Amino acid sequence: MRVVMKFGGTSMAGIERIRHVARLVERQAASSETCVVVSAMAGETDRLVQFCKEAAAHHDPREYDVVVASGEQVTAGLLAMTLQNAGLEARSFMGWQLLEASGVHGNARVEKIESGALDGALRAGTVAVIPGFQGRTEEGRIATLGRGGSDTSAVAIAAGLRADRCDIYTDVAGVYTTDPRIEPTARKLEAVGAEEMLELAGAGAKVLQVRSVGLAIREDMPLTVRSAFEDEPGTHIITNWEEADMERIAISGIAADRSEALVKLAASDRPGRLAAALRALASEGLSVDMVAQGPDSLHFTVPKTNLARALKALDGAKDAIGQTAVTSDDNVAKVSVVGVGIRSNPELAAKVFDVLADRQVPLLAATLSELKASALVPDEQVDVAVRALHAAFELGE
Ligand code: ASP
Ligand code: MG
């Protein structure tokens, strides 16, 4: 049996907590070969990012990676020595020693895990401790995997080591039907399909980095999200339902996402206006999420962080689009109902929009897919919408 455990920043924030993590690792290591992937101490990566901004507004992304990757090096070393101090065989391996990355600095992809030395250590009974988030590019430089990337490191390493499973220890007890801070009756799911988890994560539920779930699906790696602080079973992320002896539930949960802004173009109806707008955004590397069209308007959403660039790109292409004015609204939020068969069961989608209409929540845009029905609503109505949908689909305790 071989297990990868991953601990998030809250679990690693300070020596006391690292000692607690060491006890969990010790317990696991009594019955399996054990590899531990760690995050930086909570808040540390933000602090390092801030230093970069202060040092140089336009900094070299390769040097940014050198700086921000350091937080995980600290926690990996500290955990390894804490384990040794408790009498275990343990050692750290740095990202550059085993994780080959490619793509852009600051948001690199995992290319390959060189598992040789690591595999040997595990077979010899040593607990391996690895900093998440970091790897090495083909040029031999340090790269990081994007914010929250330690989850992806853990799944990639688990796959590379052919581990039996990957357990993600975090500061929440698992995946919930919705954010318990919005709806106190939110229930912890015992299991959730990886595809639904991907939708929940993409729709704003930030338990795991989205990419880690995609990777778990591709690698067929069983994943569990569980609390580092309570001895509870957590949520199993099922990548293979045929093997899981469980009936698939229709609706898994409700997610709220405040990261998008609405862009509104006044543009007369003519062929190609949407294409022209999307092309203008694409030339800046920007993609849109939700789209709504009216006779004299074209609405869509972009990430808030890209809003200024999007408006500029659209302005540059205003003749091609035929737009007379462009405005934006960042007081919007996307509410998504995630579950299997949303599009193929029309009653499910109808119910989503019925519930919103019932509560008089204005609908600014909508999208439907097989696994998700999303509604864009005014920011101040999002909590009402989440609670109403949670109740209507009977997701609570
Ligand atoms: N420490 C990094 C971050 O805060 C990576 C991680 O924790 O997953 O984004
Ligand atoms: Mg995280």
Side-chain angles (χ1 to χ4, degrees):
M1 178 82 141
R2 184 173 271 191
V3 174
V4 171
M5 308 170 87
K6 185 261 167 177
F7 289 92
T10 319
S11 318
M12 301 303 292
I15 301 304
E16 249 338 290
R17 293 198 185 166
I18 292 177
R19 282 210 181 94
H20 171 71
V21 166
R23 285 192 287 274
L24 297 179
V25 172
E26 186 172 4
R27 198 171 68 183
Q28 179 63 56
S31 63
S32 72
E33 294 177 359
T34 306
C35 173
V36 191
V37 177
V38 296
S39 281
M41 294 192 191
E44 179 63 7
T45 310
D46 286 342
R47 193 175 78 98
L48 297 169
V49 169
Q50 190 54 36
F51 280 143
C52 294
K53 286 185 183 154
E54 281 173 33
H58 295 289
H59 42 255
D60 182 341
R62 294 165 296 193
E63 304 307 343
Y64 164 93
D65 276 349
V66 168
V67 176
V68 301
S70 66
E72 272 76 5
Q73 174 159 341
V74 171
T75 48
L78 288 171
L79 178 59
M81 62 177 78
T82 306
L83 289 166
Q84 290 166 350
N85 200 41
L88 274 82
E89 282 301 327
R91 66 155 287 189
S92 63
F93 289 86
M94 295 294 100
W96 59 262
Q97 292 169 312
L98 54 91
L99 192 150
E100 211 179 279
S102 66
V104 294
H105 276 273
N107 198 21
R109 284 190 316 271
V110 181
E111 207 54 57
K112 191 168 133 225
I113 303 295
E114 290 152 22
S115 54
L118 192 54
D119 194 67
L122 292 175
R123 282 176 198 280
T126 300
V127 174
V129 185
I130 301 170
F133 188 46
Q134 52 167 259
R136 181 196 64 234
T137 65
E138 220 184 312
E139 293 79 43
R141 303 197 65 164
I142 292 178
T144 62
L145 306 179
R147 296 306 306 271
S150 295
D151 298 328
T152 301
S153 303
V155 175
I157 289 164
L161 286 172
R162 301 185 183 284
D164 295 280
R165 55 171 218 268
C166 181
D167 295 343
I168 309 273
Y169 288 80
T170 177
D171 52 2
V172 294
V175 180
Y176 281 76
T177 49
T178 195
D179 185 343
R181 285 167 305 186
I182 299 179
E183 174 50 69
T185 70
R187 196 167 38 83
K188 187 179 78 190
L189 295 164
E190 202 180 301
V192 62
E195 286 85 1
E196 290 101 300
M197 178 67 213
L198 203 55
E199 294 288 359
L200 284 171
K206 286 177 198 62
V207 199
L208 287 181
Q209 195 192 36
V210 176
R211 285 163 51 193
S212 69
V213 182
L215 191 59
I217 295 175
R218 279 200 300 289
E219 299 287 347
D220 203 5
M221 176 55 60
L223 258 189
T224 297
V225 178
R226 56 183 299 172
S227 166
F229 305 104
E230 290 163 44
D231 204 4
E232 298 276 332
T235 301
H236 299 293
I237 316 255
I238 311 289
T239 48
N240 194 336
W241 280 91
E242 279 85 42
E243 280 175 21
D245 184 24
M246 250 171 277
E247 206 174 317
R248 208 160 186 172
I249 324 138
I251 300 297
S252 303
I254 318 279
D257 180 3
R258 292 180 164 87
S259 70
E260 290 182 16
L262 181 63
V263 176
K264 308 188 234 185
L265 299 181
S268 55
D269 194 2
R270 63 176 208 198
R273 75 181 169 166
L274 179 59
L278 295 182
R279 210 173 304 115
L281 295 167
S283 68
E284 282 289 312
L286 303 171
S287 53
V288 310
D289 180 21
M290 310 176 89
V291 179
Q293 288 208 67
D296 336 284
S297 66
L298 196 55
H299 291 185
F300 44 76
T301 63
V302 296
K304 278 180 185 164
T305 48
N306 291 342
L307 181 59
R309 279 169 63 210
L311 294 176
K312 191 155 166 259
L314 292 165
D315 194 56
K318 61 173 173 244
D319 294 337
I321 303 167
Q323 91 199 27
T324 51
V326 49
T327 54
S328 63
D329 182 356
D330 59 8
N331 292 314
V332 294
K334 183 170 71 171
V335 185
S336 303
V337 176
V338 174
V340 171
I342 299 235
R343 196 159 49 190
S344 43
N345 292 300
E347 329 79 61
L348 288 179
K351 183 167 168 181
V352 171
F353 299 107
D354 260 351
V355 169
L356 296 178
D358 235 33
R359 300 294 166 114
Q360 291 170 2
V361 175
L363 185 63
L364 307 172
T367 50
L368 282 183
S369 71
E370 197 49 36
L371 291 174
K372 186 170 69 171
S374 298
L376 193 73
V377 304
D379 203 359
E380 65 275 10
Q381 307 258 25
V382 66
D383 290 3
V384 171
V386 167
R387 286 191 208 109
L389 290 165
H390 197 263
F393 286 100
E394 296 174 21
L395 294 172
E397 300 278 7

